[in-house]
Amino acid sequence: MKKIVFCFTILLLTGGTAFGQRGLSCYPVFRGKVAPAERMVTTEVRGGGMAAYKLDYYRGVTFEGDTALVRKVASLVSVDADCAKSCQTEHAGDILVYALIELEPEKKVNRYLCYQARSSGYMWMITLIYLEGVATLEDLHSMFEKQETKK
C-alpha cells in the first residue's frame, strides 16, 4: 500500500510538468499530430540533470518537413508568440525561422518555447523545444551564446 501511495505522489508531483505545454497552440506538434510521430526525434529530460541549467523540464522535438509543414508549425508558434510575455523572432522572407518565446509563468515557474527552422534544399529541419524552470531569459541567452562559441 505504501508503494502505491508513493507512486501516486510522484505521479502528482511530476504530472504537472509533463503537460506544461498543454494549452499552447503548438501542443499538437509535441504530440505528433502535425508531423508524423514516427518521423520525429523526441527528447524529454526532467529533474537533476537539468539543475546546472536552472531548468526542471526539457521537451524537444526535431523533424524534417516540406515548406507547407514548416509554414503550419510556424503559424502555431506565432499564435503562442502573440500571447507571450515576450518574444524574439526572425524571418527568412515570409517564413518564421526562429523564435524564443517567454511564456507566462505557471505557478512561479518560468516557461519558454524555442523554435528553429533550417532550410536544407527543398526540405526543412524543424526544432521545437519547451522549457520550464527558474532560468531567466538572460540565462537562456547565456547558454545559447556558449553553445554557439563551441562550434
Side-chain angles (χ1 to χ4, degrees):
M1 182 66 170
K2 286 182 181 180
K3 287 182 182 179
I4 292 172
V5 171
F6 176 76
C7 290
F8 184 69
T9 303
I10 295 297
L11 186 63
L12 283 175
L13 292 175
T14 60
T17 57
F19 300 106
Q21 63 273 48
R22 198 176 272 178
L24 296 176
S25 292
C26 63
Y27 179 63
V29 178
F30 288 103
R31 297 283 318 262
K33 304 293 183 189
V34 176
E38 60 271 3
R39 288 191 0 222
M40 297 172 62
V41 175
T42 302
T43 306
E44 191 169 2
V45 181
R46 72 179 83 235
M50 302 297 294
Y53 303 104
K54 300 181 184 177
L55 296 170
D56 301 318
Y57 183 68
Y58 170 104
R59 184 173 186 186
V61 293
T62 302
F63 52 95
E64 194 174 51
D66 60 12
T67 302
L69 182 60
V70 80
R71 287 182 191 279
K72 184 172 186 170
V73 174
S75 69
L76 296 171
V77 170
S78 293
V79 171
D80 290 328
D82 290 342
C83 303
K85 184 176 177 181
S86 70
C87 180
Q88 301 166 18
T89 60
E90 288 181 26
H91 289 79
D94 64 341
I95 297 176
L96 179 67
V97 294
Y98 170 83
L100 177 55
I101 303 167
E102 182 179 15
L103 302 164
E104 289 296 331
E106 203 168 86
K107 297 180 183 178
K108 298 183 181 180
V109 175
N110 295 329
R111 304 179 318 134
Y112 303 96
L113 186 64
C114 309
Y115 164 82
Q116 184 177 39
R118 294 180 311 275
S119 176
S120 176
Y122 294 107
M123 298 299 283
W124 292 81
M125 186 57 66
I126 303 162
T127 302
L128 189 62
I129 300 170
Y130 175 83
L131 305 167
E132 285 184 358
V134 296
T136 64
L137 201 52
E138 292 77 27
D139 292 329
L140 294 181
H141 281 294
S142 177
M143 282 185 271
F144 294 150
E145 286 174 12
K146 288 178 186 175
Q147 292 289 329
E148 289 175 9
T149 58
K150 287 182 180 180
K151 290 181 180 179

